Amino acid sequence: MGRLTARLLLERGVPKSDRLGRVRSLDLSGMELLSEHLDPKLLCRLTKLQELDLSNNQLETLPANLGLSHLRILHCSNNQLGDVTVLRQFLKLEELSLEGNPFLTINDNLKVSFLLPKLRKINGKDASSTCSQVEILNQELTIRVTAHWEKFMAALGPEEKAEKVQADFVKSAIRHVHYGPESLSEFTQWRVQMISEELAASHGTRVSESNTPESSLGVAAAFRPRVSMVLCGWQVLSWSCLPVAAAGNQEVSMSPGVPPAQARLAAVKRLGDVPLRLSSTKRMCTSLPAQVEGSPAGLSDSQPALQMEPLHFLQCHSRNNSPQDLKTQLWACAFEPAWEEGCSEATSQTVATCGGEAVCVIDCQTGIVLHKYKAPGEEFFSVAWTALTVVTQAGHKKRWSILAAAGLRGQVRLLHVRAGFCCGVIRAHKKAIATLCFSPNHETHLFTASYDKRIILWDIGVPNHDYEFQASQLLTLDSTSIPLRLCPVASCPDAHLLAGCEGGCCCWDVRLDQPQKRRGCEVEFVFSEGSAPARRVDGLAFVNEDVIASKGNSPGTICLWSWSQTWLHRGSQSLVAVVVLARLQWSPTELAYFSLSTCPDQGIVLCGDEEGSVWVYDVRHLLTQLSPPPAPPQAPTQILKWPQPGADGQPVTKTMVNMVVANTAFTYLAALTDSNIVAIWRRC
C-alpha cells in the first residue's frame, strides 16, 4: 500500500461527498498501512470526521498532529502499536479499540483512561472500572509524591540551585515513589514523573486538578493494599485488571470437545473431602493472626524460624463466579520469573494459579487478580512460565512473558499475559496433562507429561507476524506409569530429565543430538531403607545444583539425595540406589499428591498437608554434609498453621494445601487448597 490520497479517502468515507471536510466516518482497515502512510497534511482536512477505523494494518504509531478535533470513535485493533500517549490529541474520543496489539499492556489501558477524559468504552467494554482505578492511583501517587517533595526539600541546603533541585527531585521521585502491583509499574512510574515535574516546576505549590481527582472513600479503599486476611468472592473480568469490588465476567470460549472418561479421575485426588464452614456471602474480613510455630518441641531449633504473616485469602477460581463454590480444587501455581537482565537480585511478586476452568494471575502485594483466563469444560492441572524475545516487522525486539497452562483436555494453552489473550493451543496428548515445565536453557522448549504415560518435548517456537505459534515435537519419552512431576537435572538440563511417577522416580536421556526420537526410561531410582522401586513419587525438585528433594517414596518423610553421587555409582545399571543425604519429617498422612517445592536461592523446602498447614524446612546446613544421615528424620524449621480466616463470624476450619510455592527472594508464599482458596503469606 502506498501513500493515501484524497480520492481514496473520499471513496472509503461516509457520507459520499466531493469534499473531505464533509466526511464523518472513514474506513481504512485491512489496507496494510504503515505509520509513514498516514499523512497529517491530508488527514487534517477531515475536519468533521467522527469515526476512524485503522484496524488490521501494520501501524507502530500514529502521527502526533492529525488534527482530528471531532473524532469520537477510533478503531486501532490488530496493529503493532507500542505507545498510546499520542492519543492525547483526541480529547473528544469516547470509544477506543486497541485489541490485538501484542505490545500494549494493561498499563496502556490506564494511560488512555487518564489521557482521554471523555472515554466511555475500551475494547468494547465499559471503561468506568478502569477510570476508577486511574483516579485511585492518581490520588495515592499525588499524596506520595507530595510527601517525597517535603522530605526531599528538607534535606537540601540553601545554596543549591533551583534548576538542579528540580531535575534531581524528579529523578529521586521516580526512583523512590512506588505504589500498587508491579504489573502496573509502567503506568505508576509514568504518572510519578508527570506529577513530580509539575510539582517541581511550581516549587511545590501546585498540582493540577487532573492529578488530584475526586474519588469516593469506598472506591479508594477497594484498591488500597490490604493488610488484613481477605476471603474474596468477587466476579472478575477475563484478562483485565480490576479493583477488588469490580463486577462482571466474560468467558473465553474454547473449541468444544469431550474429555476422555479416564481423565476425569484426575480431578478427584483426595479421599473424603472435608467441608468448610463458611457463610454464603464472601466479603473482606479480618481475622486473628495465624499460629506460626517457631521452635517448640518437635520442631528443629538448628535454624531460626522465618517470620511469616498471612496476607490475603482469595476465592478467584469459582465456577460461574459463584461465592458458594468451595469444591473447586486448585492444583498448581508458579511465580513469574523476573526477567531483568544482569540483575541477580530481581524477584517477582506475581503468581499464576490454576484450578477448575480458570487460570489466574495475582499480585501478592495487593491481593488483586490482575488477569483471569477461563476455558469452560477444562480442568487446569499445571502452569509454567517462559519469556520469549519477539522481533517486530520493523526489527524492534520485545520481551514477552508467556504462561503455559494445561490439564484435563490434553491441550496446552499459551497465554500472552500482559496483552491479555491466548495466542496458541497445542493439542499435545489424547489424555489429560498432569504437569508441564519449560527447559531452563531453551526458552521455547516445553515438556508435557500426560496420563497416557508419555512425556513429550516440544519446541513452541516464536510467534509469527500474526502472533501465532507453530509448535513442533522434538522427543517422545515413554514411561511405565503416569508421570506426576517433571524436573530437568539442574547441572545438565539438556542431557537428563527426572520425573516423579506413580511407579517411582525415573530418568530419561533428553539429548537432542541423539538419533532416536522415542526413548524409554534410562534409569529408575531406588530409595534405601527398604523402599520399593515401584512406590509413587509425587514431589520432586532441586534444592541446589546437586541436591534433590523428593516425596512419596517413604511415608511421612521428604528425602534429600545427591544427584552427582548417585549418578557416579550408576555404572551401566538401570536400577540405581540413591545416595541419601538427609530425611525430613513430614505429615504421616496416607493421602497423596501434596506437591513440594523449593526456593534454591534460600535453601528452603516447602510442602503443604491435609490440615491446611505449610511445612517449612531450612536445609542449608544439610546440603554439604558428607556423613550418613542420622536415623530419625529432621524436624521442620517451622509449620505455618492454617489461620482459620472468618466470614460473617464463621471460621474456615480446615482445608488441604495441595501446593505451596515461594518467590526467589522468599518474600511471598502462595498456597493452593482443595477448597477453592488461594492463601498468600508475606515475610515480615
Side-chain angles (χ1 to χ4, degrees), residues 261-482:
Q262 309 95 298
R264 176 56 62 182
L265 297 175
V268 183
K269 299 188 175 184
R270 291 288 185 272
L271 304 173
D273 287 341
V274 180
L276 298 183
R277 294 195 296 117
L278 194 66
S279 68
S280 59
T281 304
K282 302 292 189 299
R283 60 187 62 181
M284 292 196 299
C285 56
T286 59
S287 178
L288 294 174
Q291 297 178 12
V292 180
E293 298 188 13
S295 56
L299 297 184
S300 172
D301 55 5
S302 58
Q303 297 290 335
L306 300 168
Q307 298 300 314
M308 307 291 295
E309 64 175 358
L311 188 60
H312 307 293
F313 286 79
L314 312 175
Q315 185 192 14
C316 49
H317 289 262
S318 301
R319 293 189 185 276
N320 301 318
N321 286 339
S322 170
Q324 286 79 33
D325 180 5
L326 295 173
K327 296 182 179 180
T328 295
Q329 295 179 318
L330 311 184
W331 291 116
C333 54
F335 274 90
E336 180 181 13
W339 307 114
E340 299 179 27
E341 297 182 2
C343 183
S344 60
E345 297 182 358
T347 190
S348 171
Q349 63 187 40
T350 304
V351 65
T353 62
C354 75
E357 61 185 15
V359 175
C360 295
V361 179
I362 302 168
D363 177 76
C364 290
Q365 179 187 14
T366 62
I368 292 175
V369 178
L370 302 172
H371 310 282
K372 186 174 183 180
Y373 179 86
K374 298 183 75 172
E378 180 62 279
E379 187 88 17
F380 285 109
F381 294 153
S382 188
V383 288
W385 292 92
T386 190
L388 303 180
T389 301
V390 179
V391 181
T392 69
Q393 291 179 339
H396 301 148
K397 291 184 177 181
K398 299 284 186 178
R399 196 72 165 160
W400 280 17
S401 281
I402 297 294
L403 180 66
L408 193 62
R409 289 188 171 182
Q411 300 174 353
V412 179
R413 290 173 172 81
L414 301 172
L415 310 177
H416 186 330
V417 174
R418 294 294 183 262
F421 62 87
C422 177
C423 49
V425 178
I426 304 172
R427 289 166 175 80
H429 298 267
K430 293 183 178 180
K431 291 188 178 182
I433 295 174
T435 187
L436 47 74
C437 74
F438 280 97
S439 164
N441 284 358
H442 303 280
E443 60 189 21
T444 64
H445 287 191
L446 174 68
F447 290 98
T448 60
S450 171
Y451 284 74
D452 62 12
K453 301 179 183 179
R454 291 191 180 96
I455 301 169
I456 297 180
L457 174 60
W458 304 86
D459 186 345
I460 65 172
V462 176
N464 58 24
H465 293 307
D466 294 323
Y467 309 103
E468 298 172 339
F469 286 90
Q470 298 294 329
S472 59
Q473 188 172 322
L474 302 179
L475 282 178
T476 299
L477 310 175
D478 292 318
S479 176
T480 57
S481 62
I482 298 172

Side-chain angles (χ1 to χ4, degrees), residues 49 65 106 135 168 173 190 202 222 224 288 364 413 484 527 538 552 563 587 621 642 653 664:
L49 191 68
N65 53 345
I106 54 176
E135 290 180 358
D168 289 348
W190 177 73
S202 65
R224 292 178 185 272
L288 294 174
C364 290
R413 290 173 172 81
L484 304 172
F527 294 85
D538 57 10
W563 162 262
S587 169
H621 64 294
W642 179 244
T653 55
T664 55

Side-chain angles (χ1 to χ4, degrees), residues 574-613:
S574 60
L575 201 63
V576 179
V578 302
V579 177
V580 177
L581 300 179
R583 282 188 166 80
L584 309 176
Q585 176 189 347
W586 183 66
S587 169
T589 180
E590 292 294 328
L591 301 179
Y593 310 113
F594 297 97
S595 180
L596 65 78
S597 69
T598 61
C599 193
D601 291 348
Q602 308 295 324
I604 288 174
V605 178
L606 301 166
C607 193
D609 70 6
E610 78 287 1
E611 297 291 337
S613 298

